Amino acid sequence: MSVQGGTLLAVLANPPATSGERSRARVALAADLLGFDDFVIENLFAISSHATGAIATLGATADGWLKARPALLASLADAAGVLFAYGTSAPTGAARTLFRDQVAWLDAVVVESGLPAWQVGDGARHPSRWQRWTSRAHPDQCFTHALDAALRVVHAPASRVAANDSEDAS
């Protein structure tokens, strides 16, 4: 399924401590492959860190999760589609429950919006993991063709929460 123009909302984990250019470039490629004119990146969790593993500590209270919602809602209102790309592993500890709540909330608002949604392969893989995953899933294809083949429409977003808890960050 591809679209004709509009903006793709890519939902990543949290703001990077670096420039995030590699992730931005990969999201731009996905947006192009799906037929979008532009893209915007928002985050499931609002507090920046160098690695997503830090969310287990930073996300132990609701603050960073709730602070992310207004930007997600604003970008969703202007989007023509959504790409789930926040990673396949839930944080540990108290942040796990808050992560699950945030994913369920996001799934509900995306379903309510009626917008199409995608992910890479069988999970909401972060762009930093796309090349490794696609090279395993589509070993005979260049990255661009492998990513195109790996972008999958998500028909039942809520089912990802349980599946994501058992996956690693590959």
Side-chain angles (χ1 to χ4, degrees), residues 41-170:
I41 294 175
E42 297 297 348
N43 295 284
L44 202 59
F45 182 69
I47 300 172
S48 176
S49 69
H50 183 68
T52 56
I55 295 173
T57 302
L58 298 171
T61 64
D63 295 346
W65 303 102
L66 297 176
K67 286 180 184 172
R69 290 184 179 189
L72 285 164
L73 288 172
S75 291
L76 186 63
D78 294 332
V82 179
L83 175 62
F84 296 113
Y86 45 79
T88 59
S89 293
T92 59
R96 179 180 293 265
T97 299
L98 294 165
F99 167 84
R100 288 178 179 163
D101 292 346
Q102 188 80 331
V103 169
W105 170 82
L106 178 63
D107 286 343
V109 297
V110 170
V111 167
E112 185 178 315
S113 76
L115 293 175
W118 292 264
Q119 64 186 22
V120 172
D122 58 354
R125 281 179 181 73
H126 188 274
S128 65
R129 303 293 191 227
W130 292 355
Q131 190 156 359
R132 183 184 340 173
W133 190 86
T134 58
S135 70
R136 292 176 183 160
H138 304 282
D140 298 330
Q141 297 182 17
C142 70
F143 176 62
T144 300
H145 293 140
L147 181 60
D148 192 30
L151 287 163
R152 301 216 175 116
V153 174
V154 178
H155 294 288
S159 67
R160 283 193 330 279
V161 176
N164 286 349
D165 286 345
S166 64
E167 292 186 23
D168 66 358
S170 59

Side-chain angles (χ1 to χ4, degrees), residues 15-35:
T18 62
S19 70
E21 283 306 310
R22 184 181 310 169
S23 292
R24 292 187 63 74
R26 289 183 178 166
V27 170
L29 176 59
D32 185 57
L33 291 170
L34 291 169

